[in-house]
Amino acid sequence: MVHTPEKISFMFEVAEPCNQRCSFCYNAWRTGGGPEKKQLSTSDALRVLERIIDETPCHSISLSGGEPFLRDDIFDLVSFIKHKGKKACVISNGLLLSEEKIQRCLSSGVDVFQISLLSDKPEIHNRLTGVHGFHRTVDAIFDVKKAGGRLHVFFVATTENIEGFRGVLELCVLLGVDQVSFGRFLPGGAGLAGWEALLPSPDAIDAALETGEEFGRKYGITVSVANPLPPCLNDTSKYTRVKTGSCAVGRGDHGFFAIDPEGNLKLCSHSPVVLGNLLTTPFEKIVRHSFVDEFENAVPEFCRDCPEFANCRGGCRSSGHVCYGEVGREDPYLAVWKTRARKPVCRGETSSAGCQEVP
């Protein structure tokens, strides 16, 4: 790793099991036939938390899974993070989030709850999650807001539900949700099986973002894009209400790392490569792993000589790595829709200024 970012956010997948069976789940251990992940004990999980807080410019920690509320000690983990003065988020499907647990979370210091909601229609949400949990999830969102918690809804966009994004936004406005994160489906884990059928089109994503812009303008709700979109397929520069970003790998201002249920550090939650284990190895030594530089410097063939690559980073390259088994492969979204891409080409320029878009 060339440099340590000014601040780092971590996603710690503290729970291996889950009480849903999402068709699009990215968890690397849900590919089928692979070894199950062992879940850390409370003491070991606290050791991992202590290491990343003490050894890095840690900004925030999100506790996810699996389903984190399948751990009885989730409140102890949150309390430790807050005792250390860091921001804490809990990412859940809401099925186990009772009013009592919400109060315990707030007492422990949770800054943000994130709950996944995939449709305003029960039958679609339930089909995608594999369980009949829609009403319980909506109740959890309502209960968090009633208790005074800050609540983000996460929407995973697939071909099966993207046209219903408006309905999800309408429901979120009614429930008083603080932010809606729009995440396009990224192949990985259980979602590798038949991933092309789940991948939404650029037109469908554009329509969803236009809806997000409309709701941000009308109702003041914050809508963000959770994973990077290649600008050659989706021009996000035209949006003033929808927040967008790029891959955090290699960024100097705000970096991101993921930690799996066994305490292994990865570049992100979608990356298939384990850099090292935080129980046994200091963070600074782990991030000197050769794969970090290999990934940071890898440029997909389609993206070479593109003046926008420094900004967009080629979308989600980890998803390309998972899908095709090679570092430096294109984001599958770009690979499937590249005939639609409008790549800016510069003549003697070093930035996108003065460039022309060409098909």
Side-chain angles (χ1 to χ4, degrees), residues 94-280:
L95 298 183
L96 300 176
L97 201 49
S98 64
E99 292 186 59
E100 184 266 338
K101 287 182 178 177
I102 291 169
Q103 288 298 335
R104 287 188 66 184
C105 281
L106 293 173
S107 297
S108 300
V110 167
D111 294 288
V112 179
F113 296 83
Q114 179 178 295
I115 297 178
S116 298
L117 182 63
L118 306 175
S119 177
D120 64 321
K121 294 179 171 55
E123 63 275 16
I124 296 178
H125 177 92
N126 293 343
R127 184 170 67 248
L128 287 169
T129 61
V131 298
H132 293 283
F134 172 81
H135 295 293
R136 179 69 215 108
T137 295
V138 173
D139 285 347
I141 294 171
F142 176 83
D143 290 340
V144 168
K145 291 309 302 176
K146 183 176 69 173
R150 183 166 180 79
L151 193 285
H152 293 183
V153 156
F154 195 92
F155 176 86
V156 180
T158 73
T159 52
E160 296 187 38
N161 68 338
I162 192 168
E163 291 184 0
F165 186 51
R166 175 178 291 274
V168 169
L169 287 175
E170 290 173 346
L171 183 55
C172 287
V173 169
L174 290 172
L175 291 169
V177 168
D178 298 285
Q179 179 170 318
V180 177
S181 295
F182 176 93
R184 62 183 171 94
F185 163 67
L186 296 175
L192 275 176
W195 63 267
E196 288 155 310
L198 291 172
L199 204 67
S201 70
D203 288 343
I205 289 178
D206 278 340
L209 297 184
E210 292 287 353
T211 302
E213 183 80 358
E214 174 193 337
F215 273 70
R217 187 171 57 251
K218 284 185 177 179
Y219 305 107
I221 190 169
T222 299
V223 178
S224 64
V225 178
N227 37 46
L229 285 167
C232 56
L233 289 176
N234 301 98
D235 178 15
T236 58
S237 65
K238 59 187 176 183
Y239 302 118
T240 59
R241 295 285 184 170
V242 175
K243 296 181 178 179
T244 60
S246 61
C247 176
V249 176
R251 282 178 52 178
D253 54 347
H254 195 163
F256 177 88
F257 287 91
I259 305 165
D260 76 9
E262 295 178 343
N264 296 311
L265 188 72
K266 304 191 300 178
L267 285 179
C268 69
S269 52
H270 292 276
S271 176
V273 176
V274 168
L275 304 176
N277 190 278
L278 287 161
L279 284 175
T280 60

Side-chain angles (χ1 to χ4, degrees), residues 6 8 32 35-36 43 49 90 104 132 220 243 286 306 330 354:
E6 295 174 12
I8 299 174
E36 292 185 358
S43 60
L49 288 172
V90 180
R104 287 188 66 184
H132 293 283
K243 296 181 178 179
I286 292 176
C306 177
E330 298 158 351

Side-chain angles (χ1 to χ4, degrees), residues 290-345:
S290 61
F291 178 74
V292 177
D293 288 338
E294 180 185 3
F295 186 85
E296 285 188 11
N297 296 324
V299 181
E301 183 176 355
F302 183 80
C303 302
R304 290 172 191 167
D305 301 321
C306 177
E308 290 295 336
F309 181 76
N311 297 318
C312 89
R313 309 295 294 168
C316 181
R317 290 171 294 151
S318 282
S319 188
H321 187 187
V322 170
C323 252
Y324 305 116
E326 297 177 26
V327 180
R329 287 298 298 268
E330 298 158 351
D331 182 326
Y333 174 59
L334 178 57
V336 169
W337 295 101
K338 69 170 66 174
T339 57
R340 295 276 306 276
R342 296 183 61 83
K343 209 160 89 168
V345 175

